[in-house]
Amino acid sequence: MDPITLGLLGLAILVGLIVMRVPIAYAMIVVGAGGTAIINGPAILLSQLKTLAYGQFSIYDLSVVPMFVLMGALATKTGLSRDMFRAANAWFGWMRGGTAMASIAACAGFGAVCGSSLATASTMGKVALPELERYNYSPALATGSVAAGGVLGILIPPSVILVIYAVIVEANIVTMFMAALIPGLIAVVLFLMTIAIYVRLVPSAGPAQGVSDKAEFWAATRGVLPVLGIFGVVIGGIYAGFYNPTPAAAIGVFAVFVYGLFRGLMSREAMRSSILETAGTTGMIYLILLGAELLKIFMSRAGVPQAAADMAVNSGLPPMMVMAILLIALIVLGCLMDSMSMILLVLPFFWPVLVEINGGLYQMADGSGFGLSTDELKVWFGILALVVVELGLITPPVGMNVFVISALAKNVPMGTTFRGVFPFFLSELVRVALLLGFPALTLWLPRVLGG
C-alpha cells in the first residue's frame, strides 16, 4: 500500500473512531502511532515517543495555558459575572431588548477575563437567565442571546484556543491577541444589532424595563471597574510590551484571586475546585496536543498534506475560493466536533494548502496568493478559523453552548434555544464575510501596535 493511500485510510479510521464516540485525543494517538509504525517500523515510533511528549509539553508558550485556565476558573467563583451583568443591565436595560443586550455585553466582558466559551455561557447563564425570565423575555431570545454571547469567550483575548493555534503554526501569541480584538468587538456590535432588529420585528420578545436611577446606575458602573482593571493589566500590559503572555496570565490569576478574597468569595473549597478544574482541563488539552502531533507526523510521512496542497494549487481555483471552501469545511466539522479538537485536527491539512496557494510574499498584483506575508496569513487565517469555530458552538447537532444553556433553562426545549441562536448564527456569517473580504480588519491593529 502506497503512503498516501495509507494516510487516507488512516483518516477514514479516525473519522470512524470519532463517530464511535472515542475521545478525539485517543483516536488521534491510535491512528498517528499505528500509521507511523506501519510506515517507519515500531522501532522508529518507540524512539520518537521517548522525547515527543517532553518536547511538546516543554514549549514555554504553552505554560500560559494553565494560567489562563486557572484565571477563568477563579473568575467564575468571584462574582465578576454578576457585577458585569448588573452594570451592563444598567446601561442597556431601559431599551427594548436591553436585558438581552446586557447579556451580550456581560458575556464579552467576562470572556475578556475568562477566555473560555463554555465557562462564559455557563456562568453568565446562571446570572442572566433568571433576569430575562423575570422581565418576560421570550424563551427563544433569552436562551439564544446567552448561548450566542458565550461564544465571545473563545475569541476576545485572552483565549486558550488562540494560544494553542499560535503554538501549532508558530505564530506570535501577542500578535494573535492584538488581531483578535477588533473582530471580537465586531461580534459584540453585530449581536447587539441582531437583538435590536429581533425585538423591532417581535416587540413582545424583549420588553423594556424601567430606567435605573442615578445612584443605582453609578453603583453598578463602579462594580465593573475591577473587571476593566484586570483586563487592562493583563491585556493592556501585553499590548504595551510590559510583559509577555505567561507573566501576564500569572498577574491575572493573582488579581482575580485578590478580588475574590476582597469579596469574601475565595474560600478554600473554591480554590481547591479551581485548581482541580485547571488540572483536568490542562491535562485534556495537552493530551489532545500529543495526539495531534502524532497524527501530524503520520500524515506528513504519508504525504497527505502536501498532496492536498498540490491539489489546491492545480485546481485553478482563486485563492479566496479555496479559503472559502476551507472555512465551509470548518463550519461542517464544527457541527460534529468540539472546537479545540477541530482546530488541532484540521491544521496539519489546511495550513500547508494555504501556504502553497499563497505562493510567497505579496503576490496579489499578478493575481496569485492573498497579498499577505506568511506571518500575516497565519494571523488572518487563525482569526477566521476561530470565528468559524464559534459557529460550531451554537450549531446542531453538537452546539455545546446550547447544551450548556439547555441544562440551565430546563423549562425551555432545546429546539427553542436553537431557534433563538439562529439570528446570531446569521450575524456570525456576516462577520466571516467581513473578515474574509477585508483582511485589514484583522491585521490593522497588529500592524499599528507591532510597528
Side-chain angles (χ1 to χ4, degrees):
M1 186 182 296
D2 67 279
I4 290 183
T5 303
L6 181 62
L8 294 175
L9 178 61
L11 280 178
I13 294 173
L14 178 65
V15 172
L17 291 173
I18 293 172
V19 170
M20 294 168 59
R21 312 289 291 182
V22 175
I24 184 71
Y26 299 144
M28 289 193 291
I29 288 172
V30 168
V31 173
T36 303
I38 292 173
I39 291 177
N40 298 116
I44 299 296
L45 172 65
L46 292 174
S47 177
Q48 287 180 334
L49 289 177
K50 289 191 301 184
T51 57
L52 183 63
Y54 175 79
Q56 187 74 6
F57 301 154
S58 61
I59 298 172
Y60 175 72
D61 285 343
L62 280 178
S63 62
V64 75
V65 172
M67 288 289 99
F68 277 140
V69 172
L70 180 57
M71 185 169 74
L74 292 174
T76 61
K77 297 174 173 64
T78 56
L80 283 172
S81 57
R82 191 169 300 279
D83 291 340
M84 285 297 307
F85 181 77
R86 184 184 172 209
N89 203 30
W91 300 335
F92 295 104
W94 58 272
M95 294 186 288
R96 184 181 294 162
T99 306
M101 294 180 184
S103 301
I104 298 296
C107 284
F110 188 74
V113 178
C114 176
S116 166
S117 177
L118 294 180
T120 300
S122 175
T123 305
M124 292 308 307
K126 294 172 185 175
V127 174
L129 287 175
E131 293 297 307
L132 290 163
E133 184 178 0
R134 183 161 72 94
Y135 289 112
N136 296 316
Y137 274 64
S138 72
L141 179 58
T143 55
S145 60
V146 180
V151 306
L152 299 172
I154 203 174
L155 185 61
I156 293 179
S159 166
V160 173
I161 296 186
L162 264 181
V163 173
I164 299 299
Y165 172 86
V167 170
I168 294 297
V169 302
E170 299 180 356
N172 185 283
I173 295 175
V174 176
T175 302
M176 294 302 303
F177 280 0
M178 292 178 182
L181 187 59
I182 291 177
L185 294 177
I186 290 173
V188 175
V189 172
L190 288 176
F191 282 2
L192 295 178
M193 291 174 60
T194 298
I195 294 172
I197 295 171
Y198 191 107
V199 297
R200 186 173 183 84
L201 297 176
V202 188
S204 61
Q209 64 184 70
V211 178
S212 302
D213 60 57
K214 287 186 178 180
E216 182 181 349
F217 177 85
W218 289 114
T221 302
R222 284 194 299 271
V224 82
L225 293 179
V227 179
L228 298 178
I230 292 170
F231 180 80
V233 168
V234 175
I235 302 302
I238 292 174
Y239 286 0
F242 295 150
Y243 31 69
N244 65 34
T246 300
I251 292 170
V253 169
F254 179 74
V256 174
F257 176 73
V258 170
Y259 178 75
L261 288 178
F262 179 77
R263 291 287 302 271
L265 297 172
M266 191 50 62
S267 63
R268 180 178 299 179
E269 179 56 32
M271 191 66 191
R272 176 179 175 276
S273 64
S274 296
I275 293 174
L276 288 176
E277 179 184 335
T278 300
T281 301
T282 304
M284 176 198 70
I285 292 171
Y286 280 18
L287 188 62
I288 293 174
L289 279 170
L290 178 62
E293 186 64 21
L294 279 168
L295 184 67
K296 183 173 75 172
I297 291 171
F298 165 44
M299 290 298 164
S300 296
R301 293 182 178 176
V304 174
Q306 188 57 46
D310 293 341
M311 185 185 302
V313 171
N314 296 329
S315 69
L317 293 174
M320 280 294 186
M321 180 65 72
V322 175
M323 176 69 85
I325 292 172
L326 296 182
L327 293 178
I328 291 171
L330 285 174
I331 292 175
V332 174
L333 287 172
C335 298
L336 306 171
M337 301 174 62
D338 69 273
S339 53
M340 179 73 71
S341 301
M342 182 172 68
I343 286 291
L344 292 175
L345 179 62
V346 304
L347 271 181
F349 304 98
F350 286 11
W351 180 242
V353 171
L354 292 173
V355 171
E356 192 71 22
I357 63 175
N358 197 42
L361 305 182
Y362 304 101
Q363 293 191 7
M364 190 65 79
D366 63 1
S368 65
F370 296 103
L372 304 173
S373 68
T374 300
D375 286 340
E376 288 184 327
L377 180 60
K378 290 176 182 178
V379 175
W380 182 47
F381 174 67
I383 299 303
L384 278 170
L386 259 68
V387 170
V388 172
V389 163
E390 290 179 1
L391 290 174
L393 293 169
I394 56 175
T395 307
V398 176
M400 290 302 297
N401 276 16
V402 175
F403 279 88
V404 168
I405 296 304
S406 293
L408 296 174
K410 298 183 185 299
N411 59 328
V412 180
M414 190 175 297
T416 300
T417 304
F418 274 120
R419 287 198 300 274
V421 299
F422 183 70
F424 300 98
F425 179 86
L426 296 179
S427 73
E428 283 286 78
L429 292 181
V430 171
R431 180 164 61 133
V432 171
L434 287 173
L435 297 179
L436 185 62
F438 304 97
L441 292 172
T442 300
L443 299 173
W444 177 78
L445 195 60
R447 287 169 177 170
V448 171
L449 296 183

